[in-house]
Amino acid sequence: MFSEFLLSFMAFFAIMNPIANLPTYMALVADDDSKISKQIAFKSLLIAFIIILVFILSGHLIFEVFGITISAFRIAGGLLVGMIGFHMINGVHSPTNKNLSSMSDDPTSVAISPLAMPLFAGPGTIVTAINQSQGGLRHQLITLGAFLLLCVLTYVILLSAKTISKVLGKNMMNIVTRLMGLILATIGIDMVLTGVKVALNL
């Protein structure tokens, strides 16, 4: 059970990569005071958690409605996750990080987009959640618990954003991004291999 929890946590951590996303968060809250920054961090992660919760609990309905097999989804999801990991290894962040939507009158609106969706609960995170939660209530609870822990950890990291970025420096943050990319690519390949094995009844 612990190994499954750890695998889910590492998969989520690699794809959300809160360390590498620090510059994006800092850019969005640069002109906000400490209170507003905390509200944005909490709101974004709460919304991301709700999104993942919905997909974990109702992901099977998507398979039924569209006639998708679990093995096919695992292969497609593995390719997607692996591709994101490959880009991270090469030092390229997700394109969603670069498209910062215009802010509305509400200073916390950025918590919804781009932070919660698609930065924290993007396609890769959703695919990972659905794949990791397959197999019944036990797997759903493990996956949900792993993502909840990551949300709490990410919240702490975001609150310490300026301090962490100064301590690590630009070069160290680039190393972390590439390391997370390698882990993510490995997880993606494992998802593809699992999907192929199930599809071929190996």
Side-chain angles (χ1 to χ4, degrees):
M1 182 175 179
F2 178 75
S3 61
E4 295 176 1
F5 180 88
L6 183 61
L7 176 62
S8 293
F9 178 81
M10 289 304 298
F12 283 130
F13 188 90
I15 201 161
M16 275 182 58
N17 201 352
I19 301 296
N21 286 327
L22 276 176
T24 302
Y25 171 77
M26 291 179 63
L28 290 171
V29 302
D31 298 326
D32 298 319
D33 57 31
S34 177
K35 182 179 179 180
I36 296 297
S37 298
K38 290 181 180 179
Q39 290 178 356
I40 291 175
F42 180 80
K43 184 177 179 180
S44 64
L45 290 167
L46 176 61
I47 294 173
F49 178 78
I50 293 174
I51 292 173
I52 296 304
L53 172 63
V54 170
F55 274 93
I56 287 177
L57 296 179
S58 62
H60 64 284
L61 294 177
I62 299 177
F63 295 115
E64 295 178 3
V65 172
F66 293 98
I68 303 173
T69 63
I70 295 178
S71 58
F73 193 81
R74 280 176 175 166
I75 294 173
L79 291 174
L80 174 62
V81 170
M83 183 173 62
I84 295 174
F86 176 77
H87 287 305
M88 289 171 62
I89 292 174
N90 287 278
V92 179
H93 290 183
S94 173
T96 58
N97 293 0
K98 302 176 182 179
N99 299 325
L100 304 182
S101 59
S102 59
M103 301 183 185
S104 65
D105 294 334
D106 181 7
T108 66
S109 63
V110 294
I112 301 174
S113 178
L115 285 178
M117 174 72 87
L119 197 59
F120 294 144
T125 308
I126 292 173
V127 166
T128 301
I130 295 177
N131 275 284
Q132 295 292 335
S133 62
Q134 294 299 318
L137 180 61
R138 177 173 174 272
H139 288 85
Q140 290 178 339
L141 292 176
I142 290 175
T143 304
L144 190 61
F147 189 73
L148 176 60
L149 176 60
L150 179 58
C151 286
V152 173
L153 177 61
T154 302
Y155 180 69
V156 173
I157 291 175
L158 293 182
L159 294 186
S160 309
K162 293 183 179 180
T163 302
I164 292 176
S165 62
K166 288 181 180 179
V167 172
L168 292 180
K170 184 177 180 180
N171 291 334
M172 182 58 68
M173 290 185 69
N174 286 333
I175 292 174
V176 171
T177 297
R178 286 171 168 79
L179 178 60
M180 290 299 100
L182 178 60
I183 295 174
L184 199 58
T186 304
I187 292 173
I189 293 174
D190 183 66
M191 289 168 62
V192 171
L193 293 176
T194 300
V196 171
K197 289 180 180 178
V198 173
L200 299 178
N201 295 318
L202 296 178

